[in-house]
Amino acid sequence: MQDLQAQAAPAPPKSTTGPPDIEAALLAIVRQTWADLNRRSPAQLRLTLDSSFDRDLGLDSLARVELLLRVEKAFGLRMPEQVLEEAETPRALLRVLKSAGTPLAAPAELPMVESLAATAADVLPAPAGTATLIEALEWHARRTPDRVQIIHAEDFSGSAPETRVTYGQMLERAERVAAGLQARGLGLQQAVAIMLPTCPEYFYAYLGILIAGGIPVPIYPPARLSQIEEHVRRHVGILSNAEVAMMITIPEARPVARLLEAHVASLCHIVTPAELMQETRPLVRVALRSTDIAFIQYTSGSTGNPKGVMLTHANLLANIRAIGDTIGISSQDVFMVWLPLYHDFGLIAAWMSSMIYGDPFVVMSPLAFLMRPERWLWAIHRHRATLTAAPNFAYELCVKRIEDSQIQGLDLSSLRLCANAAEPISPDTIERFTARFEKFGFKPEAMVPAYGLAEATVGLAASPLGRKPLIDRVQRQPFVRWGKALPALPNDPNPLRFVSCGRLLPGFEVRLLDRSGQPVGERVEGRLEFRGPSATAGYYRNPELTAKLFHDGWLDSGDRAYLADGELYLTGRVKDIIIRGGRNIYPHELEEAVGAIPGIRRGCVAVFGSPDPHSGTERLVVLAETRATDAAERERLCAEVTRTVVERLGEPPDEVMLAPPQTVLKTSSGKLRRAATRELYEAGLVGSPVRAVWWQVLRLVGNALLPALRRRAQALMDALYAAYAWLLFLLAALPTWLVTALTPHPAWAWKVGRLSARLFLWLSGTRLEVRGLENLPRTGPYVLVANHASYLDGIVVVAALPGYYSFVAKQELKSQLIPRIYLDRLGTEYVERFAIRQSAEDTQRIVRAALAGRRLAFFPEGTFRSTPGLLPFRLGAFVAAARARACVVPVAIRGTRAILPDGTWLPRHGAITVTIGKPVMPPADVADSFTAAIRMRDEARAQILPHCGEPDFGQRMAA
């Protein structure tokens, strides 16, 4: 890609013949761009208006950006950013040109806006005692609700509108999202996928999921329709592993979301932020804990075995504070990025750190940056940003893509830190960026190389502030043969250069190990392992990979590095380094060299090792993309690749494989997926053609058809079962009610009810298992307390327990004739839940009933909800037991919520287990009945919780 900028875009032909000249000019630009990319003659390309940029031309994202810029320059029009994602053929570009886009005006200096920074006394960071992200947000929203937290615009061009969101607005909108999620049945620690572009709603969605008690799972939207099959296949593995229950996306992405839904059994709801925020039902407050999962970051593992890094609130806050302490973040800063929010670099290191420390967060679309990287720099200028961050390729793109005429008047002097991380850092890029932008106020010491990984939350090491990047020159041969990073002499003509990632963040430790697992010394390369306060507990629902991650309490980073004078130098990924004949081969150098060969697509070369069982070492494979089809030309290219490898290594590769465009796999951010490409090679799938979009969609629909049919059939069976269950219930309920209404004694009514309930459960196929009957007291009064999850619970208690009890029910049922007659015959006692005076009188009546020897049955939660979880217990049952000196018998009911949850009248087939706990006696050492009731309540609840099969929601509800 770097040579493309040197080429001049052809000018449109001078003619008055109209549209055909536009077509010819456009095709000429496409043809020349392809020729420059592939270092071939333009005449060799067979091109039409309907040629696919992916399938026929092999243009990746950066090549498309270059094409659009050339088109803009030639026609004097500005193309919308979304064209980069949506245009699949020259004909699509032609339609945009004919619609007369915005004239391409000369770049204008953008005015600076008022300072967003605050004094340190004005806005303080969230205190150290803050345990969760939501506590931090609430802390800021209480103290400075009108403080701007987010500023968003598509490209900060000066003409695009800017959206500002304060702390108070962000909390209010996030709470509305949370209420919408709860209304749709989101359970505690259930996963919710976020498939949104960069926009204010992204932040509301993320925080709303946390407020509702869920787990956010950010995923990236599809980059292009031509890659829809790969996108869906990859994300099906992620969503299935996370057991995602809901997805938040934009209306335009619903078709893709529906394809994902068809393949992911757990995915039940696809909603937009606007739909969630329309919810009118109140939010149920959930008390979050520092140990709750607050983020699952899926790394680029294989499709079949995705790696979801579990990060808790404690992990996030520990790492953010370590980063903040290292670089001195304060409310006087302004953090500006274009980084995608589905990745930890943008989400945690940039946004969350800003939210915690109170500095405004200025964000733009990644697509806008790719199209016009100068907009990133202008946004820094406009808002006097002090902090920014990006991977190495972004700094390189600025050097090669931005012309001086586009940044006249630019002032970067406000920047005190430019973090360079998330991919290998090139010393050449650092030097070129610094030299290019120093005249625009950029300070060399502002460039801060850093290192991190998802398993550490995000950050692990960073260069000290106020120092220029440190570049180490080492001797090539000792390093590649023995891993010794010996300093190179000044006149060494071919040294290796590595950029220091600085020193470890506070609280972290690292160790470097050789192949036998022994520690290595200073300036010796080894496998990097770490431990620290924000290290993950492992991979979500993946115990196999989690076990491989930990070694004696240390986490395997998967990277190789060496230490020198306390500085950490990264040398490469363990899985990427090729070991051949006892020699380490680092693929990125070979990939760059091979990519420079005319006829080979730059940036589309993968060098990897493949095990050779005959030699016991690895075969060196070079897989390079080319559009060459002529046999003689391909033979020449293979020879040139071999010659290039011999020049670099002194020995030839074992295999050179030329492949068509789009063969080498990449991540969403454009990084090579060498391991996945190696799997493709070893499976013999290299060279498989890129299918048309309609074919990919057809395959996806076809693959989803059988599971969809199964689900449809299951839904039909469920509906038939529900109808059958209701028919049984009606046939049993009417005679049961009539007989009970005529029964003079509660004990007889309970016998009738028990017979009817058992018959109903048996005929409906609901297996009822009762455990712990021996724990029921043989004599004397007692109070029975059971958890409450469904309307079925009363039927289950009647069916499961011998003898008879007096239910204690809410006063509202007494006003309903049919339920009242039935409950009265069972000997039910009614209590007022809301009027304090009446409630106290009812409690006294319940105490007298217990003293009279009656056995009382309570549902102490008082109500139930669709969301699984044991709610707090009310004290009434336990006060009655304490005052009557009667024991409490805890009963755990499991399975009723799954059969008939709140909010639905369609019962499902299932099984129910009733577990009777050991009696809880009134404490002999406590005279005060209220204190005794509290102790009895806590002990009874502790017995019910492990047997009810649901999380402890009572500890989660805010006071």
Side-chain angles (χ1 to χ4, degrees), residues 367-396:
L367 190 60
F369 164 75
L370 286 175
M371 279 287 290
R372 307 181 213 285
E374 69 274 9
R375 290 301 179 201
W376 176 32
L377 306 184
W378 276 119
I380 292 169
H381 161 101
R382 177 171 171 78
H383 291 285
R384 309 310 298 146
T386 59
L387 308 174
T388 192
N392 188 84
F393 91 89
Y395 298 101
E396 187 69 30

Side-chain angles (χ1 to χ4, degrees), residues 91-366:
R91 189 179 299 279
L93 293 183
L94 182 64
R95 283 195 292 267
V96 177
L97 290 173
K98 288 182 176 180
S99 67
T102 306
L104 189 62
E109 178 180 344
L110 293 180
M112 298 179 189
V113 299
E114 74 280 3
S115 174
L116 295 168
T119 64
D122 181 20
V123 179
L124 298 174
T130 303
T132 69
L133 292 174
I134 302 305
E135 283 185 30
L137 172 61
E138 291 172 339
W139 189 85
H140 281 293
R142 285 194 304 269
R143 288 175 59 91
T144 53
D146 297 327
R147 170 75 167 158
V148 173
Q149 209 286 297
I150 295 170
I151 299 177
H152 168 262
E154 284 301 314
D155 61 7
F156 289 98
S157 62
S159 59
E162 294 182 3
T163 301
R164 298 191 173 201
V165 182
T166 66
Y167 277 103
Q169 290 170 334
M170 192 156 63
L171 178 59
E172 184 267 334
R173 293 166 189 174
E175 288 176 341
R176 285 161 56 193
V177 169
L181 292 169
Q182 288 182 344
R184 287 162 176 81
L186 180 67
L188 287 173
Q189 293 289 276
Q190 272 193 315
V192 181
I194 306 174
M195 192 170 74
L196 293 170
T198 298
C199 57
E201 288 76 13
Y202 200 108
F203 307 101
Y204 313 152
Y206 187 95
L207 295 168
I209 294 168
L210 291 180
I211 292 172
I215 303 175
V217 180
I219 62 174
Y220 56 89
R224 294 192 297 274
L225 279 177
S226 59
Q227 299 174 345
I228 187 66
E229 188 171 13
E230 163 70 9
H231 177 87
V232 170
R233 185 172 62 87
R234 186 167 184 76
H235 282 83
V236 162
I238 290 173
L239 300 179
S240 298
N241 175 254
E243 292 187 334
V244 163
M246 302 181 191
M247 178 184 290
I248 304 176
T249 190
I250 54 177
E252 295 82 353
R254 276 191 190 272
V256 176
R258 293 299 180 196
L259 285 174
L260 291 168
E261 183 184 32
H263 290 78
V264 180
S266 61
L267 182 54
C268 299
H269 296 282
I270 297 172
V271 294
T272 67
E275 291 168 348
L276 290 171
M277 287 193 284
Q278 289 172 358
E279 182 58 48
T280 57
R281 278 178 278 189
L283 171 69
V284 178
R285 290 286 175 181
V286 177
L288 302 176
R289 299 179 297 200
S290 63
T291 54
D292 289 338
I293 300 175
F295 183 29
I296 301 180
Q297 172 70 69
Y298 277 90
T299 63
S300 52
S302 66
T303 302
N305 199 11
K307 295 162 58 178
V309 179
M310 297 184 293
L311 299 175
T312 65
H313 288 273
N315 292 147
L316 294 171
L317 291 171
N319 201 249
I320 289 168
R321 285 166 179 149
I323 293 171
D325 291 345
T326 300
I327 65 177
I329 302 178
S330 74
S331 61
Q332 295 174 302
D333 284 305
V334 176
F335 210 141
M336 192 283 140
V337 297
W338 53 266
L339 295 167
L341 297 173
Y342 53 76
H343 194 275
D344 52 12
F345 198 18
L347 191 69
I348 303 173
W351 169 54
M352 289 185 188
S353 68
S354 294
M355 187 180 74
I356 299 299
Y357 281 91
D359 54 300
F361 179 64
V362 184
V363 62
M364 65 187 286
S365 161

Side-chain angles (χ1 to χ4, degrees), residues 196 219 277 279 316 351 459 563 594 680 682 782 811 899:
L196 293 170
I219 62 174
M277 287 193 284
E279 182 58 48
L316 294 171
W351 169 54
L563 288 167
V594 171
L680 194 73
E682 292 175 347
Y782 58 85
Q811 183 73 29
I899 294 174

Side-chain angles (χ1 to χ4, degrees), residues 549-582:
L549 176 64
F550 289 91
H551 301 148
D552 301 323
W554 295 81
L555 281 77
D556 186 350
S557 72
D559 289 313
R560 294 181 69 83
Y562 67 89
L563 288 167
D565 298 324
E567 303 274 339
L568 181 66
Y569 294 86
L570 269 291
T571 58
R573 295 288 294 165
V574 170
K575 65 182 180 181
D576 292 338
I577 293 175
I578 305 157
I579 303 173
R580 191 167 184 258

Side-chain angles (χ1 to χ4, degrees), residues 720-741:
L720 291 174
Y721 173 81
Y724 168 70
W726 272 112
L727 179 61
L728 279 179
F729 177 78
L730 293 174
L731 291 175
L734 183 57
T736 301
W737 186 89
L738 289 172
V739 172
T740 303

